[in-house]
Amino acid sequence: MQKYKINTYGCQMNVHESEKIAGILSELGYVETNDDAEANIIVFNTCCIRDNAERRIGGNIGALKPMKLERKGDMLIAVVGCMTQQEGSAKALKSKFPFIDIILGANNLQDLKPAILNLKKSYINVPQIEKPEIREDIPILRTGYPNAWINIMYGCNNFCTYCIVPYVRGRERSRKKSDIIDDVKRVLDEGYKEITLLGQNVDSYGSDLESGRFSDILSEIAKMEGKFRLRFMTSHPKDFNNEVIDIIASCDNICNNIHLPVQSGSSKVLRDMNRRYDREKYLNIISDIRSKIPDCGITSDIMVGFPTETDEDFQDTVSLVEQVRYSNAFTFVYSPRKGTPAARMVQLPEEVKKARITKLVDLQNKISKEISDEYIGKIKEILVEDVNPRYDSSVCGRTSCGRLVTVKGDPSMIGKFYDVEITSSRSASLFGEIRGTK
Ligand code: 5AD
Ligand code: SF4
């Protein structure tokens, strides 16, 4: 039996893309393995948003060279995803690692099947199309039960000056509402308990369609029968729509969890980043959310070291983080991406970036821990998602706000809802005891 292994880098969006790669490969008769030595195809599903992922991917492909030279056609190597989509990247990859068999772009996964079936020497196809068509015919092998991820749109129109995504993923394209709703019905019929709608900027869903807005999709799904949860990501503060707050507040099955990346707390840096909102507008959205959904878990992406960020600007980020008190935040050091406007600016010294990220991470850890401590003694509903391999006989799940909770248990609990009394906390995660089953 032919086996596949997929190495996924990057965000949730890519984890879901890997489910499509798995869908294509399983239709071709492949089954999954975790062992390079038994894999007949190894797919690198890449990400180029930040340079550390890119460097890691290069190292991991290089490490396969001895095995590939020995196993030759018995082990195909394919590289797909947004890293290959950068100008000159496919050529550079093939010359650095001539043993790669297949290189595809970020928007033509459907070519994986013909590439494998018709492979001669090698297959390289990375189309540079601004608005690639949406393919609804790619099979999906879901691997995240009880979570089902569903794309509502692809690409991005925003051109934040630091970001490579619009160049490699193309312009924004919204899926038809009926296709999204059909997917949701299907996964609910299959027994999935949590649905996460995915898009780079979910609030602008539908702007390229004749009809359909994000809030319509949310309310239509929330009305569906059965016990399940609905999440979505990512929201953009420039397009964030207050209607969405009202819908979350009025629908029990939409999680009280909003991922609203701020990137910087300085209005000047936000302007230089082309984010098209300022500190004040962002803080107004936060207070609207807090007033209508008091226990909302708000999370963020925050960047330090953008070229024009002064010490004062960084201080603005610190004070914003202190004011908002994110339940959790992804913190990044800015890294220049070739072809983006910010990469052409004068860059900050590494030690400045390092000092800032350390300070920011320490601050957010402190806040995360304080918020965790506030949960102790409370009863919260969780959906058990997986075993927690770090502790004996333990499983973990999330509260509606998105906080991870570990309880004693076994894999039979995965996909079920429990009421849990929170008994202790460690940084952003909680521990508890089951008090009831749903
Ligand atoms: N450097 C560092 N972080 C980046 N991000 C996007 N581009 C860069 C970059 N060049 C971060 C942003 C975004 C998240 C997905 O990745 O914070 O929200
Ligand atoms: Fe990148 Fe900005 Fe688009 Fe997010 S909104 S993907 S940061 S360009």
Side-chain angles (χ1 to χ4, degrees):
M1 187 173 284
Q2 298 281 90
K3 295 190 174 167
Y4 72 82
K5 180 168 179 243
I6 304 174
N7 297 330
T8 307
Y9 303 83
C11 60
Q12 199 53 59
M13 207 83 83
N14 256 19
V15 174
H16 180 47
E17 291 283 295
S18 287
E19 295 186 324
K20 297 181 184 175
I21 297 168
I24 295 170
L25 293 172
S26 68
E27 258 195 13
L28 289 172
Y30 286 80
V31 293
E32 192 185 14
T33 175
N34 280 324
D35 185 359
D36 289 343
E38 5 175 84
N40 303 100
I41 181 163
I42 298 181
V43 183
F44 287 85
N45 185 14
T46 64
C47 169
C48 62
I49 293 194
R50 291 172 295 276
D51 65 357
N52 49 4
E54 253 195 307
R55 267 186 264 131
R56 213 153 36 98
I57 296 163
N60 295 354
I61 298 174
L64 284 178
K65 186 176 174 184
M67 197 186 282
K68 172 68 183 173
L69 294 183
E70 204 182 305
R71 294 180 58 199
K72 301 193 173 70
D74 184 43
M75 180 179 84
L76 301 181
I77 296 181
V79 184
V80 308
C82 68
M83 189 175 114
T84 67
Q85 200 76 46
Q86 296 171 96
E87 221 187 303
S89 166
K91 216 168 149 201
L93 268 171
K94 186 67 184 161
S95 70
K96 194 162 176 201
F97 308 110
F99 53 86
I100 296 176
D101 299 286
I102 297 168
I103 302 181
L104 301 176
N107 303 308
N108 60 326
L109 271 188
Q110 69 278 3
D111 291 343
L112 187 58
K113 182 174 170 180
I116 294 171
L117 293 178
N118 306 318
L119 191 65
K120 294 198 176 79
K121 254 185 129 181
S122 61
Y123 184 102
I124 300 177
N125 185 17
V126 183
Q128 297 288 342
I129 303 170
E130 273 220 340
K131 210 165 175 176
E133 63 167 332
I134 293 181
R135 298 289 297 232
E136 293 293 351
D137 56 347
I138 301 181
I140 299 174
L141 182 71
R142 297 192 181 275
T143 53
Y145 180 84
N147 305 303
W149 296 290
I150 295 179
N151 286 110
I152 62 167
M153 60 207 297
Y154 301 92
C156 182
N157 284 352
N158 291 321
F159 290 95
C160 301
T161 55
Y162 52 80
C163 186
I164 192 84
V165 168
Y167 304 88
V168 292
R169 294 264 171 206
R171 287 304 74 67
E172 206 169 275
R173 291 94 72 200
S174 303
R175 289 182 71 197
K176 278 202 303 222
K177 187 172 143 207
S178 55
D179 287 327
I180 298 167
I181 297 294
D182 286 351
D183 274 359
V184 173
K185 286 184 180 149
R186 189 172 316 117
V187 296
L188 289 177
D189 281 347
E190 287 168 3
Y192 285 85
K193 301 293 177 200
E194 184 170 281
I195 289 162
T196 307
L197 304 176
L198 295 174
Q200 304 289 357
N201 179 4
V202 292
D203 306 284
S204 80
Y205 169 82
S207 54
D208 56 332
L209 299 177
E210 275 175 18
S211 66
R213 290 172 317 148
F214 181 53
S215 47
D216 301 338
I217 295 190
L218 276 185
S219 27
E220 190 160 336
I221 298 174
K223 278 191 225 123
M224 289 183 187
E225 278 190 17
K227 183 159 175 59
F228 68 94
R229 284 176 168 182
L230 182 56
R231 296 184 190 276
F232 57 88
M233 64 190 290
T234 295
S235 302
H236 194 305
K238 109 180 136 65
D239 297 307
F240 190 81
N241 181 341
N242 270 20
E243 220 180 317
V244 168
I245 306 179
D246 296 329
I247 295 172
I248 299 175
S250 64
C251 299
D252 281 348
N253 52 6
I254 306 184
C255 290
N256 288 356
N257 191 183
I258 300 177
H259 185 59
L260 192 67
V262 69
Q263 312 297 356
S264 167
S266 151
S267 293
K268 184 205 83 191
V269 172
L270 289 171
R271 193 194 59 223
D272 295 346
M273 288 176 164
N274 190 31
R275 292 289 290 177
R276 285 176 278 175
Y277 55 86
D278 59 13
R279 178 186 175 99
E280 196 189 347
K281 170 166 173 165
Y282 186 88
L283 289 173
N284 282 340
I285 300 174
I286 298 293
S287 63
D288 287 344
I289 296 173
R290 296 263 189 245
S291 68
K292 290 185 174 155
I293 319 171
D295 64 341
C296 191
I298 304 176
T299 55
S300 194
D301 293 345
I302 312 169
M303 202 187 297
V304 301
F306 185 81
T308 62
E309 183 186 71
T310 61
D311 280 338
E312 218 178 1
D313 295 319
F314 173 65
Q315 247 355 92
D316 286 345
T317 298
V318 168
S319 71
L320 181 130
V321 169
E322 282 166 341
Q323 191 173 338
V324 175
R325 293 179 67 75
Y326 292 111
S327 63
N328 225 330
F330 299 99
T331 49
F332 305 111
V333 175
Y334 164 76
S335 56
R337 305 284 70 205
K338 215 171 124 207
T340 60
R344 295 189 285 275
M345 300 176 187
V346 178
Q347 304 295 314
L348 292 179
E350 285 307 314
E351 59 275 17
V352 171
K353 297 190 197 177
K354 219 179 244 168
R356 288 180 189 166
I357 193 76
T358 307
K359 199 164 170 202
L360 183 63
V361 168
D362 287 349
L363 171 62
Q364 182 55 47
N365 284 346
K366 180 175 140 283
I367 295 169
S368 295
K369 171 73 175 139
E370 285 166 4
I371 292 178
S372 288
D373 288 346
E374 290 165 15
Y375 279 87
I376 294 175
K378 292 188 179 152
I379 304 231
K380 291 281 165 190
E381 183 189 80
I382 66 163
L383 168 62
V384 172
E385 293 176 16
D386 209 345
V387 293
N388 187 341
R390 294 168 74 185
Y391 304 96
D392 283 344
S393 315
S394 292
V395 291
C396 54
R398 269 164 218 285
T399 65
S400 164
C401 300
R403 246 179 163 59
L404 202 65
V405 184
T406 297
V407 292
K408 284 275 170 227
D410 61 65
S412 70
M413 294 161 67
I414 295 173
K416 297 193 181 115
F417 291 91
Y418 295 90
D419 281 332
V420 170
E421 182 176 340
I422 308 301
T423 50
S424 64
S425 80
R426 182 172 303 165
S427 186
S429 44
L430 305 171
F431 299 83
E433 283 167 24
I434 291 175
R435 294 288 177 247
T437 315
K438 295 288 162 108

